[in-house]
């Protein structure tokens, strides 16, 4: 699978989560963290998709995706350890840890597999 196949939905989930967190608790941190990180991930996924369409890899996008997921893993993991609340801290930390592993795998294997031209 290509990184953008997971990054764009992951970013959209964070945007929705940040918006819901703000709507329910008036949490500016949820709004800024969720929507801000989500938008950054959607943008990185879009850059990766556009590079793939040109039969290239966007290593810049892959690094941005990895850093965002790793930071969310640490921050939300710490929040989960402090509060023991599965929602949202535990869920976001778990999904972000999985995404960090996926992005590290993509980096280690050279990015997205570009199909050979059919002749």
């Amino acid at each position: 699978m290509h990184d953008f196949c997971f990054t764009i939905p992951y970013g959209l989930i964070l945007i929705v989560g940040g918006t819901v967190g703000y709507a329910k608790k008036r949490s500016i941190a949820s709004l800024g963290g969720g929507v801000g990180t989500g938008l950054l991930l959607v943008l990185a996924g879009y850059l990766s998709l556009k590079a793939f369409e040109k039969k290239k890899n966007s290593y810049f996008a892959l690094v941005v995706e990895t850093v965002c997921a790793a930071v969310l893993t640490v921050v939300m993991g710490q929040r989960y350890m402090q509060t023991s609340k599965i929602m949202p801290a535990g869920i976001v930390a778990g999904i972000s840890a999985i995404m960090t592993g996926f992005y590290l795998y993509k980096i280690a294997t050279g990015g997205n597999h570009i199909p050979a031209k059919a002749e």
Side-chain angles (χ1 to χ4, degrees):
M1 286 302 261
H2 308 298
D3 63 308
F4 53 83
C5 294
F6 293 108
T7 301
I8 295 170
Y10 173 46
L12 293 173
I13 289 168
L14 292 172
I15 291 169
V16 169
T19 304
V20 169
Y22 178 74
K24 282 188 169 191
K25 304 247 181 184
R26 295 289 178 221
S27 170
I28 301 293
S30 289
L31 185 64
V35 173
T37 307
L39 287 173
L40 189 58
L41 283 164
V42 169
L43 177 62
Y46 177 78
L47 291 174
S48 181
L49 173 63
K50 288 302 170 190
F52 182 77
E53 288 174 351
K54 295 176 183 173
K55 308 245 186 276
K56 296 181 180 187
N57 273 302
S58 175
Y59 292 104
F60 172 75
L62 199 49
V63 168
V64 169
E65 294 162 355
T66 306
V67 169
C68 286
V71 167
L72 279 174
T73 301
V74 171
V75 170
M76 296 308 274
Q78 287 175 338
R79 181 158 297 148
Y80 173 72
M81 297 301 278
Q82 292 169 349
T83 64
S84 298
K85 291 185 179 180
I86 294 291
M87 194 63 179
I91 299 292
V92 173
I95 291 171
S96 296
I98 291 167
M99 293 303 294
T100 301
F102 172 70
Y103 295 138
L104 290 173
Y105 169 78
K106 295 305 283 182
I107 290 170
T109 58
N112 293 320
H113 173 71
I114 308 296
K117 286 186 178 179
E119 294 183 36

